[in-house]
Amino acid sequence: MTSTTPPEIAAKVEALIPKFQLTRLLNSDQAGRRISLLGTIESQQALFIAERAAFDTSDSNLRSFSTSLRNIKNLGANDIYSWFLANSNPNFTGTDGQAPPDFKLNLICPCTQKHINKYEAQGLRVVTETPDIYAKYVRPYMHSQREKGALNWVFNIIEGRTEQEDVMYREHGSSGFLLLPDLNWDRKTLKSLHLLGLVERRDIWSVRDLKKGNVEWLKHMREKMIEATVGLYPEIERDQLKLYVHYQPTYYHCHIHIVHVALEAGNTQAIGKALGLENIISQLETMAGNDDAGMQDVSLTYHLGERSELWEKVYLPLKEGREVKVNEF
């Protein structure tokens, strides 16, 4: 970015930054990407607000980006997924003598076209999934995705083959579940805490499979997940946690997200993506019918990317009055 400030003024204000003397941290937000500091410059109070700059997306910079990283530290790996911390300024060291990480990295290798579509910039569409659309098209799509082995990494964790050192709490059996850090959390910044609750049973693929008969199980899981989280992180209180599920989820095996309420709500917590667990429980409790009545009987409205398979294979054909080719899922 080119500055329009006269050179003499630019030099004067740039010289102020090294003179800043910290008094205290005022705030850390955007999942730790912005800090607001109170301090002094030459005995005058000053506010110093810093946030990570946008990435340089020039071709030359992107080609050298991966080789410019230093102090890469793996946080975990499972199947095609792995995640890391790294830094870009090895000349600066913290109080522990180590260069503090300024990047949280996720690696998917080998990735599929579905992964590419998910992360590529694309337009969004709002769709309403009726019980009929779910039964005729979406449920068969879910089945096809599970049959392709997309859940191998989940089953690796549940069956004890990988990431067992990360399991923070576990209950076995038909009502069992386990709790572990989400791969998008740096495992350090409590205000961006993000944990994942994976259920052991495999018959609940998404919120659509939840029924009135599951209410007590859901309440039990919610209580145990909150208890485990505040037990592991005493600085966090119960009413600072938010629990939700995604619909559509990234993968079709029931899992619950546990996040700090201060975690800024990006797309993953937006209306049209996240459903509060307490609201789901309440909806099931007040639903007419017996224990078999459930979320398969309601319409759900959410957003989809225009490159997602559900949009391309289900909702776009429905919008245009074309046949949905279920046999091509």
Side-chain angles (χ1 to χ4, degrees), residues 30-31 242 244 259-271 274:
Q30 284 198 347
K242 181 164 54 175
Y244 60 87
V259 304
H260 194 289
V261 71
L263 178 62
E264 294 198 15
N267 287 336
T268 62
Q269 294 185 57
I271 294 173

Side-chain angles (χ1 to χ4, degrees), residues 1 39 65 135 137 169 283 289 312:
M1 181 181 294
F65 176 69
Y137 309 121
Y169 180 89
Q283 187 171 2
E312 293 180 340

Side-chain angles (χ1 to χ4, degrees), residues 33-96:
R33 291 189 294 271
R34 181 194 295 137
I35 54 173
S36 300
L37 306 176
L38 175 65
T40 59
I41 296 177
E42 297 176 343
S43 301
Q44 292 183 311
Q45 276 202 325
L47 281 174
F48 187 16
I49 301 161
E51 60 183 282
R52 300 187 193 278
F55 282 97
D56 179 354
T57 57
S58 64
D59 185 72
S60 59
N61 183 68
L62 294 180
R63 289 186 184 279
S64 63
F65 176 69
S66 62
T67 56
S68 71
L69 298 171
R70 298 293 183 270
N71 302 317
I72 299 172
K73 179 182 178 182
N74 178 251
L75 293 176
N78 186 346
D79 195 47
I80 64 173
Y81 303 93
S82 50
W83 44 103
F84 315 80
L85 293 177
N87 77 24
S88 58
N89 183 7
N91 296 319
F92 178 78
T93 57
T95 55
D96 59 357

Side-chain angles (χ1 to χ4, degrees), residues 28 31-33 185-194 260:
S28 173
R33 291 189 294 271
W185 184 40
D186 65 5
R187 310 190 188 197
K188 179 181 178 182
T189 310
L190 290 184
K191 285 189 176 181
S192 61
L193 177 135
H194 190 163
H260 194 289

Side-chain angles (χ1 to χ4, degrees), residues 43-266:
S43 301
Q44 292 183 311
Q45 276 202 325
L47 281 174
F48 187 16
I49 301 161
E51 60 183 282
R52 300 187 193 278
F55 282 97
D56 179 354
T57 57
S58 64
D59 185 72
S60 59
N61 183 68
L62 294 180
R63 289 186 184 279
S64 63
F65 176 69
S66 62
T67 56
S68 71
L69 298 171
R70 298 293 183 270
N71 302 317
I72 299 172
K73 179 182 178 182
N74 178 251
L75 293 176
N78 186 346
D79 195 47
I80 64 173
Y81 303 93
S82 50
W83 44 103
F84 315 80
L85 293 177
N87 77 24
S88 58
N89 183 7
N91 296 319
F92 178 78
T93 57
T95 55
D96 59 357
Q98 301 295 315
D102 50 10
F103 288 120
K104 168 68 169 56
L105 311 172
N106 291 348
L107 177 66
I108 304 173
C109 183
C111 70
T112 65
Q113 187 60 46
K114 187 175 181 180
H115 291 117
I116 296 170
N117 291 345
K118 175 183 176 181
Y119 288 100
E120 187 171 17
Q122 58 189 295
L124 295 176
R125 300 284 180 156
V126 174
V127 301
T128 296
E129 183 181 293
T130 64
D132 186 57
I133 290 175
Y134 170 69
K136 285 184 178 178
Y137 309 121
V138 178
R139 182 71 178 187
Y141 174 79
M142 290 180 176
H143 181 267
S144 73
Q145 298 307 299
R146 287 173 61 94
E147 290 297 301
K148 292 176 181 177
L151 295 176
N152 288 344
W153 71 275
V154 177
F155 299 148
N156 284 341
I157 300 173
I158 293 174
E159 294 171 3
R161 290 190 291 270
T162 60
E163 295 189 53
Q164 296 311 289
E165 67 281 1
D166 291 330
V167 175
M168 308 159 75
Y169 180 89
R170 183 160 197 161
E171 289 192 16
H172 288 290
S174 59
S175 298
F177 66 92
L178 56 87
L179 192 66
L180 69 164
D182 184 87
L183 62 84
N184 289 310
W185 184 40
D186 65 5
R187 310 190 188 197
K188 179 181 178 182
T189 310
L190 290 184
K191 285 189 176 181
S192 61
L193 177 135
H194 190 163
L195 307 181
L196 198 63
L198 291 175
V199 306
E200 286 195 344
R201 57 192 292 181
R202 302 190 184 190
D203 59 325
I204 300 182
W205 301 357
S206 75
V207 68
R208 283 294 199 181
D209 291 306
L210 296 176
K211 298 178 172 60
K212 290 190 70 170
N214 298 129
V215 166
E216 293 307 313
W217 171 60
L218 291 172
K219 288 182 176 179
H220 171 78
M221 277 202 303
R222 178 185 181 277
E223 181 63 22
K224 291 297 184 180
M225 288 177 181
I226 291 176
E227 281 184 4
T229 303
V230 298
L232 288 161
Y233 305 102
E235 303 94 328
I236 299 177
E237 298 183 31
R238 294 174 61 94
D239 57 3
Q240 291 179 304
L241 295 174
K242 181 164 54 175
L243 284 73
Y244 60 87
V245 300
H246 283 148
Y247 197 78
Q248 287 278 323
T250 303
Y251 51 93
Y252 297 114
H253 179 90
C254 183
H255 56 285
I256 297 168
H257 297 264
I258 305 99
V259 304
H260 194 289
V261 71
L263 178 62
E264 294 198 15

Side-chain angles (χ1 to χ4, degrees), residues 265-279:
N267 287 336
T268 62
Q269 294 185 57
I271 294 173
K273 181 65 176 179
L275 301 173
L277 182 60
E278 291 83 359
N279 292 338

